[in-house]
Amino acid sequence: MTVDVLSPPAQAERQARTAVAVLFFTNGALFANLLPRFPQIKADLGIGNAAYGLAVAAFPTGAIVAGLAAGALIRRYGSGRVAVAGTVLTGIGVLAAGLSGSVVLFGTALLLAGAMDAITDVAQNAHGLRVQRRYGRSIINSFHAIWSIGAVTGGSMAAGAIALDLSLGQHLLISAVVFGIAACVALRFCLTGPDTEPDTEPDAEAAKGETNGEPNGGAARETGAESRELAPRRDEKLRKTRVRTGYVLAALVLIAASGALVEDAGSSWAALYLSDSLHASGTLAASGYIALVGAQFVGRMIGDRLVDRFGQRAVARSGGVIAAVGMGLALAVPTATGTILGFATAGFGVATLVPAAMHEADELPGLKPGSGLTIVSWLMRLGFLLSPPIVGLVADSTSLRVGLLVVPLAGLMVMVLAGVLQPRRR
């Protein structure tokens, strides 16, 4: 990735960084306002764990369906505009989900919200990486840390709304209006101009051709025979590069999906597990998800310094160990306090996984700019898609405690795959 600006950031870049931070904050807060209300919605609709898991899976299904459209929308309208429009529509979808009177309407609203959330996610990350290039140093983890603050804020708002006995409609309407307005204000300070950079490859090829005063055609004539002789070797090298890129991209998708799976376990099941299995109060049950995203925020705040010192590979592997051991112990010895701490350790352990996978994918050779980011962002949603129904089916067959074993298993997967991430720089 090229660095656009090496000098200290100007006021426009600083304002754009703040605007992107607002977009990440609102994105984290909107859906988090709905999550602690899931037990109430499940009870009002009178559905079991399996039906609930399938309904909740509509959110990542919408993300899978719409995710690949983000690139075309960004190229046409700009990442800032797309992120803001997606934020507003996500808020509307969340509000509709809270007001749904049937499981079909609930799933349909979550489908819309998930589709808009996926487009917002790609757009805000694309704009954040654009700002990062202007800064000339890594700042992407800080944006994801702000997302965690937004999620904590949203979860706390929901807990407060429950304590104040606000209806679902009142609570989620306030959330949609407040965060929608914040996103619209942020758009004013986003970077202007096109998101895509001009393709420099033709110029580079022309420069290679102009050797010793010869035009490009002369160079081609001089090296034509040699090129034909070397073509099989180059083709083999290109094939190996593509295979390596495909392998690394697949591993990055699984790493990001592991982080997404842990987040989904906290968002979809923490409140239910604490309230139904461990008999915690509604307010305390909301603390499971808040603890996860709060610890995730701490991990992302210190993530850049840890990566600079130890390398992304070591940080990811250590995080996998922390998530697996912490949540494994919480499930082995089930108590409300221990479970909340278990979700916290899991959130801390996976804190840097999604930003790391997105950044690594954006740097992969042989891919067009933004392609790696879009693919990882899109496919990692499989973690959100597959987790709810699988956990729900396991919970109905055995117990939700057994279903939540997906969290330590995700930590183990990260430990195995972290070798594709960058080691410490010497």
Side-chain angles (χ1 to χ4, degrees):
M1 180 186 296
T2 58
V3 176
D4 296 330
V5 176
L6 296 177
S7 57
Q11 182 180 7
E13 281 71 43
R14 293 195 300 271
Q15 290 177 337
R17 181 177 183 178
T18 301
V20 174
V22 170
L23 293 176
F24 271 82
F25 179 88
T26 57
N27 183 248
L30 275 172
F31 193 56
N33 265 276
L34 178 64
L35 299 177
R37 309 303 295 253
F38 274 174
Q40 178 183 345
I41 295 173
K42 180 174 177 289
D44 291 344
L45 296 177
I47 55 178
N49 286 325
Y52 167 78
L54 289 172
V56 172
F59 187 88
T61 299
I64 292 290
V65 171
L68 289 181
L73 292 172
I74 289 170
R75 286 190 293 272
R76 179 163 185 176
Y77 299 107
S79 56
R81 290 191 183 94
V82 172
V84 171
T87 298
V88 173
L89 292 174
T90 299
I92 293 174
V94 167
L95 174 62
L99 297 176
S100 299
S102 70
V103 67
V104 174
L105 292 177
F106 178 56
T108 302
L110 287 181
L111 187 78
L112 169 64
M116 295 302 102
D117 179 76
I119 292 173
T120 302
D121 185 42
V122 175
Q124 68 187 11
N125 273 285
H127 209 78
L129 288 171
R130 185 181 173 195
V131 174
Q132 177 173 276
R133 289 193 291 272
R134 296 287 190 97
Y135 266 68
R137 58 185 172 85
S138 176
I139 58 174
I140 191 66
N141 273 311
S142 67
F143 291 137
H144 285 263
I146 296 297
W147 183 95
S148 297
I149 295 177
V152 172
T153 301
S156 300
M157 287 176 61
I162 293 171
L164 294 173
D165 201 26
L166 289 180
S167 69
L168 278 165
Q170 292 172 328
H171 163 212
L172 296 177
L173 178 61
I174 292 172
S175 172
V177 171
V178 169
F179 296 121
I181 291 174
C184 291
V185 172
L187 178 61
R188 179 181 177 186
F189 301 99
C190 288
L191 295 175
T192 58
D195 285 84
T196 56
E197 298 178 4
D199 188 1
T200 58
E201 291 182 3
D203 293 337
E205 292 298 324
K208 291 178 182 177
E210 295 177 0
T211 306
N212 296 324
E214 295 281 349
N216 188 49
R221 285 193 299 271
E222 291 177 2
T223 62
E226 296 177 5
S227 296
R228 285 192 296 273
E229 293 176 2
L230 295 174
R233 201 175 304 169
R234 286 199 304 268
D235 291 344
E236 178 64 17
K237 184 178 180 181
L238 180 60
R239 186 190 69 80
K240 290 182 178 179
T241 299
R242 287 175 176 172
V243 170
R244 169 66 179 171
T245 298
Y247 164 74
V248 173
L249 187 60
L252 292 175
V253 168
L254 290 175
I255 289 172
S258 296
L261 188 150
V262 173
E263 290 183 21
D264 178 75
S267 63
S268 298
W269 300 103
L272 284 175
Y273 179 63
L274 284 163
S275 60
D276 292 352
S277 300
L278 302 180
H279 310 293
S281 65
T283 303
L284 183 61
S287 301
Y289 178 68
I290 295 172
L292 185 147
V293 292
Q296 190 178 60
F297 162 72
V298 174
R300 286 173 173 172
M301 285 297 293
I302 65 176
D304 286 326
R305 282 174 287 176
L306 291 175
V307 169
D308 288 340
R309 182 168 183 178
F310 301 107
Q312 189 60 256
R313 184 181 300 172
V315 171
R317 279 183 175 153
S318 299
V321 172
I322 292 171
V325 173
M327 195 62 192
L329 289 174
L331 293 172
V333 185
T335 64
T337 302
T339 298
I340 292 171
L341 290 175
F343 278 112
T345 58
F348 183 81
V350 303
T352 64
L353 295 185
V354 173
M358 287 183 171
H359 181 264
E360 292 278 350
D362 207 41
E363 298 280 349
L364 282 177
L367 297 177
K368 293 181 179 180
S371 295
L373 170 64
T374 300
I375 292 171
V376 168
S377 179
W378 182 60
L379 288 179
M380 79 172 185
R381 301 280 177 164
L382 289 174
F384 288 114
L385 176 63
L386 298 177
S387 177
I390 290 175
V391 174
L393 290 171
V394 172
D396 280 348
S397 300
T398 54
S399 68
L400 185 51
R401 179 184 171 192
V402 175
L404 287 174
L405 284 173
V406 295
V407 175
L409 290 176
L412 294 176
M413 181 181 293
V414 172
M415 293 167 57
V416 173
L417 298 174
V420 301
L421 298 173
Q422 290 296 319
R424 183 179 65 178
R425 295 179 181 178
R426 300 292 182 181

